[in-house]
Amino acid sequence: MITHLHLHQIGPAPDLEAEFGERLNLVTGDNGLGKTFLLDACWYALTRTFPGSRDFYPSPDAKKSDPPVITYSIRSKVHTDVKAASVFDFGSQYWKNQSLSDHSINQSLVLYARIDGGFSIWEPVLSADGRIKGGEPIDFTNNEVWYGLPAGAVSPEETRCNGFLRDVENWRLKNNGDFATLQKVLKHLSVDASEVIQIGEGMRLGRSVTEVPTLLMPYGKVPVTVAASGMKRVLALAYLLVWAWREHRISSDIRQEEPTRRMVLLFDEVEAHLHPKWQRIFLPALHEVVRSLLMKNEVDSVQIIATTHSPLVMGSVEELWNDETDRLFDFDLEGHKVEFENIPFAKLGAAEHWLASDSFDLPSSYPVMAQKAIESANNFMAANPEPQAAPWERAQEIDTDLKKALGGDDEFWPLWKPYLDRVRVPS
C-alpha cells in the first residue's frame, strides 16, 4: 500500500502532499484540477510505471536547478514504511529512480479502474520476462477487457489474458470455483436482492460461432456485449478482480510463494455510468467484496483510493467511515492556484447536504434558476421584514419567478407565504 506521496513541480499543483489512510481514501474536486493525475501518480509510486502509457512531464515553470520530484512511501514486506523518489532528468527527459531497495518494491496486488474504461493491474510476483523482479504492469484497453490481451494475439504463447467473453464462458463450462466466485462478487455488488446481477448460459449472435455470456435480466437473457454502460463497467471490474486474484494465486503456487495479503484499488469516478441507487451502495460493497469474498478475510490491508463527483457516493461511506483508517481529500482552485488538502469527514446525511459541503462547494442543491429565485426572495424578505409594508409590485415579480422555478410542495413556500398573501391582497 502507499502511505505518503509528494509531487513537486509536476501536475496542476506546484506542490502536492498526501498522507493516505490505510483503508479508504476519497478525493473530490472540480474537473481539471488533478484528481486523475493523483491516481496516476499513486500508480506510478506503486509500480514505477505509467498507467496506460501516460507519461508525466514537468510543470511549464519547472527549472533544471529545481527539478520535478515524485517522493513516496510504500508499506514494505516487513510492515515498515520505506521512502523512495523519482527525479526528472532534463537531459534525458526521463524519470530516474533514487533511494530504491527491495523493501521499497510494492508487494500489493494493484488494480486501477481508469475513467477511459480501461484497467491497469500490477501483479506483485511476475515480471514481463517471467523472472521474479518485483512485479508486472498489465494495461487493458476497454476492448481488451472483453476480447483479450494483447489484441490480435494468434498463439497461446502471446495471449496474456483471454478476456471476459472467453474466460467467463470457459469458467462456467468447467464449473470451477472461479465462475462461482464471479457470481458471488456480482451478487454482492448488486443493488439489492430483487436486482441481482447474474450471468447465464452463453448464446450465439448472428453467424458467430462464439458463445457470448448473457445477463439474466427480469425481462430475459441479454448478451453482455449489448449490456448498458453501467452494467458493463461493473461486469468488467468484477471479472478483472476475479481474474487478477486467480492469476496471482496461480503465479504464487508455481513459484512456491505465499500469495500477497494486500490489495490496492485505484478507482477513477466511482459513479461513472451508475444509476443513483447503485452509487448509494457500490463503494462499501466493493471493499467488502475484496476483503471477504476474494481474500477470505486473510488480509493485511485492502486500500482504496477513489475519486468522485457524487454526493451519493460520499453519503454511502458514512456508516463505514473511520477517522483512524480513512481520509478525505479535496482539490480547490484558489485564484489561479490549485490547492490540495486533507479535509475533515462529517456525516451529513442527505445528498443535498453533501452538495453544499467543502467537497462540492455548491451554494445550493436547487437548479440554478430556482436558486436565483430563492436568493431574490430571501434578500427581499431581509430588506422588508414586515410583509404588509413590502413593495407590492416587487413581491409580485419575485412570486412569479418562484412559481416558474419551484414545485407546489417545495419547502420554501411556507417561508414565502406571508409575502405570497401580500401579492394576492395588495394594499
Side-chain angles (χ1 to χ4, degrees):
M1 60 182 284
I2 181 172
T3 57
H4 175 262
L5 179 70
H6 180 208
L7 305 178
H8 176 64
Q9 296 288 26
I10 177 175
D15 275 282
L16 181 154
E17 191 158 11
E19 297 285 345
F20 293 107
E22 65 184 44
R23 186 180 65 162
L24 181 61
N25 300 269
L26 291 180
V27 184
T28 60
D30 203 351
N31 291 330
L33 298 187
K35 297 189 301 301
T36 297
F37 184 81
L38 176 66
L39 293 184
D40 287 354
C42 288
W43 171 267
Y44 180 86
L46 289 162
T47 70
R48 298 186 192 128
T49 65
F50 298 106
S53 300
R54 295 199 296 267
D55 292 350
F56 291 173
Y57 297 99
S59 299
D61 297 331
K63 305 296 183 185
K64 190 174 183 178
S65 58
D66 183 23
V69 182
I70 304 171
T71 308
Y72 51 93
S73 295
I74 301 295
R75 187 68 48 85
S76 73
K77 289 188 288 187
V78 293
H79 303 282
T80 58
D81 291 351
V82 180
K83 188 175 181 179
S86 295
V87 180
F88 187 80
D89 180 75
F90 280 89
S92 64
Q93 291 287 292
Y94 191 74
W95 291 90
K96 294 186 175 181
N97 295 319
Q98 296 180 346
S99 308
L100 300 182
S101 68
D102 289 341
H103 288 310
S104 68
I105 295 174
N106 167 52
Q107 298 298 317
S108 303
L109 181 64
V110 185
L111 188 147
Y112 183 0
R114 306 194 309 265
I115 192 57
D116 61 4
F119 290 80
S120 295
I121 293 174
W122 171 261
E123 161 56 60
V125 173
L126 290 179
S127 69
D129 59 7
R131 293 179 296 168
I132 299 173
K133 284 187 176 178
E136 176 186 13
I138 311 168
D139 287 322
F140 293 83
T141 65
N142 182 40
N143 200 53
E144 287 169 338
V145 173
W146 298 95
Y147 295 100
L149 178 72
V154 295
S155 68
E157 292 79 10
E158 291 182 274
T159 304
R160 186 66 187 87
C161 174
N162 289 319
F164 184 104
L165 300 183
R166 282 183 286 182
D167 266 340
V168 170
E169 184 64 5
N170 286 338
W171 294 349
R172 184 185 69 81
L173 292 173
K174 290 178 180 178
N175 195 29
N176 64 18
D178 298 316
F179 184 74
T181 299
L182 179 62
Q183 294 282 49
K184 289 177 183 177
V185 169
L186 289 171
K187 181 178 181 180
H188 207 83
L189 294 178
S190 300
V191 174
D192 54 46
S194 64
E195 296 185 54
V196 173
I197 309 171
Q198 189 175 2
I199 297 177
E201 293 183 0
M203 63 183 295
R204 290 192 178 190
L205 302 178
R207 293 181 293 177
S208 172
V209 297
T210 302
E211 296 280 342
V212 176
T214 59
L215 283 176
L216 300 182
M217 303 296 289
Y219 47 82
K221 293 195 300 184
V222 176
V224 295
T225 51
V226 297
S229 296
M231 194 76 74
K232 290 180 78 172
R233 196 179 197 208
V234 175
L235 288 169
L237 175 64
Y239 161 66
L240 283 179
L241 281 171
V242 176
W243 179 85
W245 185 240
R246 174 182 185 272
E247 290 299 309
H248 174 67
R249 292 197 325 270
I250 292 173
S251 298
S252 300
D253 289 344
I254 291 173
R255 285 151 184 82
Q256 299 184 27
E257 293 191 356
E258 287 293 320
T260 185
R261 295 163 60 89
R262 302 174 184 173
M263 184 177 287
V264 179
L265 297 176
L266 307 175
F267 208 135
D268 203 0
E269 292 193 24
V270 177
E271 68 277 6
H273 303 302
L274 295 184
H275 188 277
K277 62 185 178 183
W278 239 339
Q279 296 179 31
R280 294 176 63 202
I281 62 96
F282 193 77
L283 200 53
L286 178 62
H287 180 270
E288 184 63 19
V289 157
V290 175
R291 187 183 66 83
S292 62
L293 290 182
L294 289 184
M295 306 184 79
K296 310 297 183 184
N297 292 313
E298 298 176 356
V299 296
D300 289 337
S301 66
V302 175
Q303 184 185 45
I304 296 177
I305 305 176
T307 70
T308 183
H309 292 129
S310 170
L312 292 173
V313 170
M314 298 298 297
S316 74
V317 302
E318 288 191 358
E319 186 175 351
L320 179 69
W321 196 267
N322 182 337
D323 286 336
E324 296 298 317
T325 59
D326 307 328
R327 298 289 184 274
L328 173 60
F329 301 95
D330 183 58
F331 282 94
D332 265 321
L333 186 63
E334 300 290 344
H336 297 286
K337 185 179 180 182
V338 174
E339 301 284 353
F340 175 80
E341 61 178 340
N342 175 203
I343 61 176
F345 184 92
K347 294 182 178 182
L348 301 179
E352 62 190 71
H353 299 151
W354 273 107
L355 286 173
S357 72
D358 289 341
S359 292
F360 300 102
D361 297 318
L362 290 182
S364 169
S365 59
Y366 280 100
V368 174
M369 180 180 177
Q371 176 191 328
K372 290 181 177 179
I374 289 174
E375 287 177 352
S376 295
N378 283 330
N379 291 337
F380 181 80
M381 290 187 291
N384 301 277
E386 295 296 331
Q388 295 305 315
W392 177 77
E393 290 184 355
R394 179 58 183 147
Q396 189 176 44
E397 292 173 357
I398 292 173
D399 188 67
T400 299
D401 291 340
L402 288 171
K403 287 176 180 176
K404 289 179 181 178
L406 303 180
D409 58 350
D410 192 90
E411 61 184 12
F412 185 76
W413 286 120
L415 301 176
W416 178 248
K417 187 177 185 303
Y419 296 85
L420 178 65
D421 294 339
R422 174 77 174 98
V423 171
R424 288 172 176 168
V425 186
S427 57

